[in-house]
Amino acid sequence: MTLAGFSTQRRNEGKASPLIELTRATKFYGRRPVLSEVSLLVESGTATALIGRNGSGKSTLLSILAGLTKISSGTLVRYERRLTVGYAPEAFPGLKFTAEQYLLCMGKLGGLAAAAAEARVTELLEVFHLEEFRRQSMAGFSKGMLQKVNLIQSLLTQPQLLLLDEPMSGLDLPAQHTVIGLLQELKREGTALVFSVHEPETVESLADNVHVLQAGRTVKMIYGQENMRVAPAAYIVCNNISEQSKEDILGMPGIIYIHNEPDGVSGDDFGVTIEAAAADGYLLRVLKAGGSVVSVEPCGGLSAGGLEQWMDPKPARGGAAE
């Protein structure tokens, strides 16, 4: 899976250096805020996962880092004067060009000489197992094949900063493993990765930092791979509790996330994700308040950090996920 020439061109020296930084960045579309005072530092050789529901601002944040969208307020600093950026947006259409025609054109736009672009395109098509399709029109490509072409174009110039919006979208498991392995290699060689994702496995395999967004605001940050997996937790659904008692109970320590109106049979169901060590005390408080326990489900790993709720939330009854 080695990309020829990459390691000799630029190698991580073992110390991360800042590449780009956002400080209290806000973005408005008309009068509607899409991002609100988001701060983010991206360093070489690190991977930052952006987690959030649809509409939380992940794609806008990636577009800002790519230089395609200007912030309305705040500051953006590029520490590298000639920062090379690769960007794979979430939406990639099935164009009438062949994969080869499109990628050679993108290589030229990225400043590659014709011979270098052809060699690079051939190299990446082989990595993504698309060599036999290089002269076929992309109009007939599957979603997974289009996503591979999308990822290839983002890698053509061997970027210092690689921005990926849902990179696993449309890919089968073998292709996802190929992409994860490739990104791990690029990170080792000094590439900074910032990616939005809904797959916990991708976060565990790649991320050094996790940045959780809700409605354009930062609600949670986790630093260090050692903190990606935390103590086990439990998902508990209860009902038949007065509002006053509920307020007291939900103020207990150990609660990671509150799920309003989870799927259930009663209109007053509510659920929490809570640290396993605090679960017994929580259940006792519920029962003493006259409440009923609908279900208790163990969860762990990223679930314990509440991240799966942000990646694939349970929709409220009678509505869709945000």
Side-chain angles (χ1 to χ4, degrees):
M1 193 175 294
T2 299
L3 300 180
F6 190 86
S7 60
T8 57
Q9 175 181 334
R10 175 168 48 82
R11 182 175 295 276
N12 184 12
E13 299 296 335
K15 183 178 180 181
S17 57
L19 296 180
I20 190 168
E21 184 174 11
L22 279 174
T23 304
R24 302 185 69 178
T26 296
K27 176 61 183 177
F28 284 88
Y29 285 127
R31 295 184 177 181
R32 182 172 66 92
V34 181
L35 288 180
S36 299
E37 298 196 346
V38 172
S39 297
L40 177 67
L41 173 64
V42 181
E43 298 179 300
S44 60
T46 64
T48 301
L50 304 180
I51 305 300
R53 304 174 186 177
N54 293 335
S56 62
K58 304 187 302 296
S59 295
T60 299
L61 179 53
L62 287 168
S63 182
I64 288 170
L65 293 173
L68 301 175
T69 299
K70 293 184 178 181
I71 58 177
S72 302
S73 64
T75 60
L76 185 152
V77 176
R78 291 173 180 259
Y79 291 96
E80 293 280 344
R81 182 173 297 179
R82 295 185 177 181
L83 182 64
T84 307
V85 180
Y87 174 50
E90 182 179 10
F92 187 78
L95 304 173
K96 293 182 179 180
F97 298 108
T98 67
E100 182 180 58
Q101 289 171 333
Y102 169 74
L103 292 171
L104 288 175
C105 180
M106 293 300 291
K108 182 178 180 180
L109 290 174
L112 296 179
E118 186 170 354
R120 182 70 171 162
V121 166
T122 297
E123 179 182 21
L124 289 169
L125 285 171
E126 290 175 353
V127 168
F128 283 90
H129 306 292
L130 285 179
E131 175 63 25
E132 63 180 296
F133 304 102
R134 66 185 299 159
R135 294 183 176 87
Q136 293 186 17
S137 170
M138 291 190 294
F141 279 15
S142 67
K143 182 178 180 181
M145 293 170 69
L146 288 173
Q147 181 67 345
K148 290 179 180 180
V149 175
N150 186 24
L151 292 170
I152 289 173
Q153 65 79 22
S154 72
L155 294 167
L156 287 174
T157 58
Q158 300 177 334
Q160 295 167 279
L161 172 61
L162 183 58
L163 307 169
L164 306 173
D165 199 349
E166 301 295 345
M168 303 304 174
S169 177
L171 299 181
D172 58 21
L173 283 178
Q176 289 185 28
H177 293 156
T178 295
V179 171
I180 288 174
L182 172 60
L183 295 179
Q184 287 172 333
E185 179 185 343
L186 293 177
K187 190 174 76 163
R188 285 193 297 269
E189 300 298 343
T191 298
L193 311 174
V194 183
F195 57 94
S196 66
V197 67
H198 281 89
E199 298 83 14
E201 297 79 11
T202 305
V203 177
E204 291 186 49
S205 299
L206 287 172
D208 301 292
N209 309 301
V210 175
H211 196 101
V212 183
L213 295 170
Q214 181 186 29
R217 293 184 178 274
T218 300
V219 296
K220 187 182 185 74
M221 289 185 288
I222 302 175
Y223 298 102
Q225 287 188 327
E226 68 277 9
N227 296 319
M228 295 300 158
R229 297 192 63 84
V230 293
Y235 173 60
I236 302 174
V237 178
C238 301
N239 60 19
N240 297 326
I241 300 178
S242 68
E243 288 301 317
Q244 182 176 354
S245 296
K246 183 189 296 185
E247 185 176 345
D248 292 338
I249 291 171
L250 294 181
M252 289 182 61
I255 293 177
I256 297 167
Y257 187 80
I258 298 170
H259 309 261
N260 292 316
E261 297 187 31
D263 293 334
V265 297
S266 173
D268 65 350
D269 284 359
F270 68 95
V272 299
T273 298
I274 187 169
E275 295 173 1
D280 287 348
Y282 176 85
L283 291 169
L284 183 60
R285 287 279 293 275
V286 168
L287 294 175
K288 284 185 174 180
S292 300
V293 178
V294 178
S295 63
V296 179
E297 300 176 21
C299 55
L302 287 172
S303 296
L307 296 186
E308 282 189 347
Q309 165 67 23
W310 301 109
M311 288 185 275
D312 187 20
K314 296 173 182 285
R317 182 170 41 256
E322 296 177 16

